[in-house]
Amino acid sequence: MANQRIAGTCYISVDGESLNLQGSLSIPMANVTREAIVASGRTIGYKETPVTPTISGSFYVDPAFPLDKLRNAADMTIVAELANGMVYTLSDAFLTGGDSNFNPEDGNVTLNFSGIRGDWS
């Protein structure tokens, strides 16, 4: 159907507090990755590896930006409400990666969150 919205505005909240998403939102679609196992010149099966539930994106840092919470909390609930109506909830989440550098010239920061559980609804 050509009249259905599949992309556009997205809303992100951390424990109910909204973040201003700049863009580049990334969420894993699957809970596992599969790798083919090949023997005797043919695929004989696959290996399955769990995928860490994550949400990554670039966010604007306004005066209400919850910096202390993001830096210190290890049990956040992060909800991404997508333009197509899908919702991804990351539970028991924490900030990962040491490269979350604030860029004051552009007023943004790229954040990577991991969690214990990620659910699509």
Side-chain angles (χ1 to χ4, degrees):
M1 301 178 126
N3 62 350
Q4 290 184 329
R5 183 169 58 164
I6 59 172
T9 303
C10 172
Y11 300 97
I12 300 286
S13 64
V14 175
D15 290 340
E17 292 183 58
S18 294
L19 297 182
N20 293 313
L21 180 66
Q22 179 187 11
S24 305
L25 188 69
S26 178
I27 303 169
M29 293 295 293
N31 296 330
V32 297
T33 59
R34 294 185 182 96
E35 180 181 335
I37 296 175
V38 178
S40 301
R42 63 185 178 88
T43 301
I44 60 168
Y46 61 88
K47 173 174 86 171
E48 196 170 84
T49 307
V51 171
T52 300
T54 60
I55 292 179
S56 300
S58 181
F59 301 90
Y60 287 112
V61 179
D62 61 14
F65 192 78
L67 181 61
D68 287 336
K69 174 187 286 257
L70 297 177
R71 290 186 349 189
N72 298 311
D75 60 351
M76 296 178 281
T77 299
I78 302 174
V79 178
E81 299 176 52
L82 310 180
N84 63 2
M86 296 174 76
V87 175
Y88 184 77
T89 304
L90 185 62
S91 303
D92 295 314
F94 46 91
L95 193 60
T96 59
D99 58 350
S100 299
N101 296 319
F102 173 52
N103 178 345
E105 184 176 332
D106 294 330
N108 64 10
V109 63
T110 298
L111 300 174
N112 301 301
F113 298 97
S114 292
I116 303 301
R117 184 173 171 170
D119 295 303
W120 285 98
S121 57

